[in-house]
Amino acid sequence: MTGAPAPALSSSPALSRQQFRLRPPPLPEPRGPLSAALTARLSRGTDPDPDPGSTPLPVPSPDNCSPYGDDLQLALYVLYELHYQGFQDVPDSLEWDSGLLAFRGAIEKVFLGALRADVPIDSAETAARALDELQLEPVGDDGSGVSYFLRDEGTLDQVRAYAAVRSLYHLKEADPHAWVLPRLHGRAKAAMVAVEFDEFGGGRAEEMHAQLFADLMEDLGLETTYGRYVDAAPAEVLATVNLMSLFGLHRALRAALVGHFAAVEVTSSPGSRRLAEAMRRVGAGPAAVRFYTEHVTADAVHEQVVRHDVVGGLLEGEPHLDADVVFGIHATTFLENRLADRLLAAWHEGATGLRGAWPDGPAPGAGRSSG
Amino acid sequence: MPNTPERPRRVRVQRDGPLLVEGPVEVVGEDGEVSVSHRFTVALCTCRRSRDFPWCDTSHRRRCRNPSEKQEDKTS
Ligand code: FES
Ligand SMILES: [Fe+2]
Ligand SMILES: [Fe+2]
């Protein structure tokens, strides 16, 4: 589908530039007993009376929930968001509520346990080899992934849906990885900070990758308000973002965070090239193209720095963490593949892959919007 | 990145892959065209296959018939 880009929703780019992460979003709609109990508990935080110190949660045990399912992943996503932006009318102090932290711990155990079982690590495998394998691109440029589909045949509506669900990460791009900085030292830390500096715009707010993504969303006629598309994001999307927060917030998983980051940097450039072409083909506008063209060259550098100095530096100091780096790499691939399967199955049917309909109704000029 | 006479600019050379140079850099091509990057480090293409020459775009990579993983869509 071609055509003019959808009109930007904000009349003042200068204002919207600063606004997309100023205000916390409302709590999302629960998707089952865990997330319902959690959002009820968080909403209670507004009562003047109860002491929000530490209330045990009267919830079903997460042990019986599907580890990658909507309910568990949304509950985990909401708990992690307390560490980023929080929610409207939820006291900031609940970030460190011991009852909520215990609940998060129980959920994390289920999620991490499932990942360890689904991503077994061969004792002969090394981080260097796992990253080498990720570099292989198909002969003849005819792969089957999401970026190939969007480049070759995705409709404008499918491109918009892809941006909407990826916004859960890109509007806080590089934030989950900042958690790892105090857990790294020497060469690994210096290199990680250098790459993060680039992700955060090299000292210029308007060049922050999160801002470049907000600009892309405006080109696509999407709302840039933080958290706007959480209800529309399927569990597979939540899981990819939860993985980063899980790895980032636990020092014990610092090497998995580094492996995750390396995996993404290594695979990003070629995919970003295809996504830039997808943006051009659907007439998305210059900011949408720019987000991805910037990532073609930026991530070609980031890949090198992360491999040589972040992974290399970490393993030089703590060689016993090699298997954790490998785990981070493979867990990332595993969850990204689940997401790709979900989106491609929907797209081949002509749907968007969103959970439910577009929250703001179909885009002007866009195709069908259910999915 | 400060580059004083006491702190020479670092360049990393690799057999298969770009030349890594501490930024900012100005690259002058054969036709006199100047490309500028302010990135903390730049990757200069040495394979001549990049579509963003003089910057590396990972086109130097080996290709294979059947990549075992199809993960290639995440941007960082
Ligand atoms: S060296 Fe990377 S594209 Fe040429
Ligand atoms: Fe980025
Ligand atoms: Fe990056």
Side-chain angles (χ1 to χ4, degrees), chain A residues 135 137-139 146-147 162 170 173 198-199 264-266 268 271 273-274 292 294-295 299-301 303-304 308-309 333 336 341, chain B residues 12 14 18 20 39-43 51-52 55-58 60-65 67-76:
Chain A
Q135 288 197 349
E137 284 279 305
V139 174
V146 164
S147 59
Y162 182 72
H170 285 307
E173 186 167 330
D198 211 28
E199 301 283 356
V264 175
E265 294 292 0
V266 165
S268 168
R273 164 85 67 202
R274 291 186 285 271
Y292 286 111
E294 165 64 14
H295 277 90
D299 289 342
V301 173
E303 169 205 338
Q304 299 286 340
H308 289 299
D309 292 324
T333 304
E336 284 295 326
D341 290 345
Chain B
R12 187 191 285 268
Q14 325 177 75
L20 302 178
R39 211 179 294 289
F40 67 99
T41 292
V42 299
R51 287 199 266 162
D52 286 310
W55 318 123
C56 166
D57 72 350
T58 72
H60 60 270
R61 289 177 181 177
R62 228 155 31 87
R63 290 181 174 264
C64 72
R65 214 146 277 291
S68 50
E69 315 284 6
K70 67 168 176 284
Q71 189 236 354
E72 79 299 87
D73 305 310
K74 185 97 172 100
T75 307
S76 64

Side-chain angles (χ1 to χ4, degrees), chain A residues 127 131 177 180-181 183-196 254-255 257-262 265 301-318 321 325, chain B residues 12 40:
Chain A
L131 290 173
H177 312 97
V180 87
L181 295 177
R183 291 91 187 260
L184 299 176
H185 309 285
R187 188 153 67 97
K189 171 179 255 167
M192 188 72 190
V193 169
V195 175
E196 286 281 89
R254 63 195 179 282
L257 187 283
V258 164
H260 157 80
F261 194 52
E265 294 292 0
V301 173
H302 297 174
E303 169 205 338
Q304 299 286 340
V305 177
V306 172
R307 288 198 61 155
H308 289 299
D309 292 324
V310 182
V311 175
L314 174 74
L315 294 181
E316 188 179 61
E318 302 184 275
L321 295 180
V325 176
Chain B
R12 187 191 285 268
F40 67 99

Side-chain angles (χ1 to χ4, degrees), chain A residues 26-367:
Chain A
L27 284 164
E29 284 298 317
R31 302 186 191 181
L34 291 180
S35 49
L38 175 62
T39 50
R41 166 70 188 90
L42 293 175
S43 308
R44 240 186 329 109
T46 55
D47 294 350
D49 164 20
D51 152 38
S54 161
T55 325
L57 280 160
V59 291
S61 157
D63 297 352
N64 306 319
C65 289
S66 160
Y68 309 123
D70 273 302
D71 188 30
L72 185 140
Q73 289 298 327
L74 180 67
L76 188 54
Y77 189 86
V78 167
L79 286 160
Y80 283 146
E81 273 304 315
L82 297 174
H83 299 285
Y84 295 101
Q85 191 94 359
F87 294 96
Q88 258 168 45
D89 303 322
V90 173
D92 290 347
S93 59
L94 286 184
E95 178 186 1
W96 295 106
D97 178 273
S98 59
L100 291 171
L101 289 176
F103 183 47
R104 198 187 90 192
I107 295 177
E108 286 174 333
K109 212 170 130 210
V110 175
F111 183 35
L112 189 58
L115 287 171
R116 292 266 187 213
D118 287 327
V119 184
I121 305 302
D122 182 340
S123 59
E125 176 132 47
T126 64
R129 191 157 347 129
L131 290 173
D132 280 345
E133 271 165 27
L134 278 188
Q135 288 197 349
L136 295 175
E137 284 279 305
V139 174
D141 205 24
D142 58 351
S144 58
V146 164
S147 59
Y148 289 95
F149 183 96
L150 291 180
R151 180 193 65 184
D152 297 337
E153 53 187 304
T155 64
L156 174 59
D157 210 30
Q158 289 166 337
V159 168
R160 294 176 78 244
Y162 182 72
V165 298
R166 284 296 193 194
S167 74
L168 271 63
Y169 169 61
H170 285 307
L171 288 181
K172 62 177 177 205
E173 186 167 330
D175 285 354
H177 312 97
W179 302 120
V180 87
L181 295 177
R183 291 91 187 260
L184 299 176
H185 309 285
R187 188 153 67 97
K189 171 179 255 167
M192 188 72 190
V193 169
V195 175
E196 286 281 89
F197 179 66
D198 211 28
E199 301 283 356
F200 292 131
R204 286 171 161 257
E206 68 274 18
E207 297 287 310
M208 287 177 56
H209 288 184
Q211 181 61 58
L212 298 184
F213 196 80
D215 297 344
L216 168 148
M217 293 178 81
E218 293 210 350
D219 262 5
L220 287 168
L222 295 167
E223 283 190 48
T224 58
T225 315
Y226 191 74
R228 183 71 180 96
Y229 296 103
V230 173
D231 285 334
E236 289 84 351
V237 173
L238 301 178
T240 62
V241 185
N242 284 338
L243 184 78
M244 306 176 205
S245 303
L246 170 73
F247 289 167
L249 285 168
H250 290 266
R251 193 178 70 86
L253 295 170
R254 63 195 179 282
L257 187 283
V258 164
H260 157 80
F261 194 52
V264 175
E265 294 292 0
V266 165
T267 50
S268 168
S269 278
S272 294
R273 164 85 67 202
R274 291 186 285 271
L275 290 167
E277 286 169 22
M279 294 297 155
R280 271 191 209 102
R281 190 176 56 76
V282 299
V289 174
R290 201 216 155 182
F291 175 81
Y292 286 111
T293 53
E294 165 64 14
H295 277 90
V296 172
T297 41
D299 289 342
V301 173
H302 297 174
E303 169 205 338
Q304 299 286 340
V305 177
V306 172
R307 288 198 61 155
H308 289 299
D309 292 324
V310 182
V311 175
L314 174 74
L315 294 181
E316 188 179 61
E318 302 184 275
H320 60 282
L321 295 180
D322 198 293
D324 280 357
V325 176
V326 175
F327 173 64
I329 295 167
H330 287 331
T332 303
T333 304
F334 174 75
L335 291 179
E336 284 295 326
N337 284 347
R338 291 183 87 256
L339 172 58
D341 290 345
R342 155 98 191 202
L343 292 176
L344 288 168
W347 292 347
H348 284 298
E349 306 262 286
T352 59
L354 295 179
R355 200 172 156 273
W358 278 103
D360 16 284

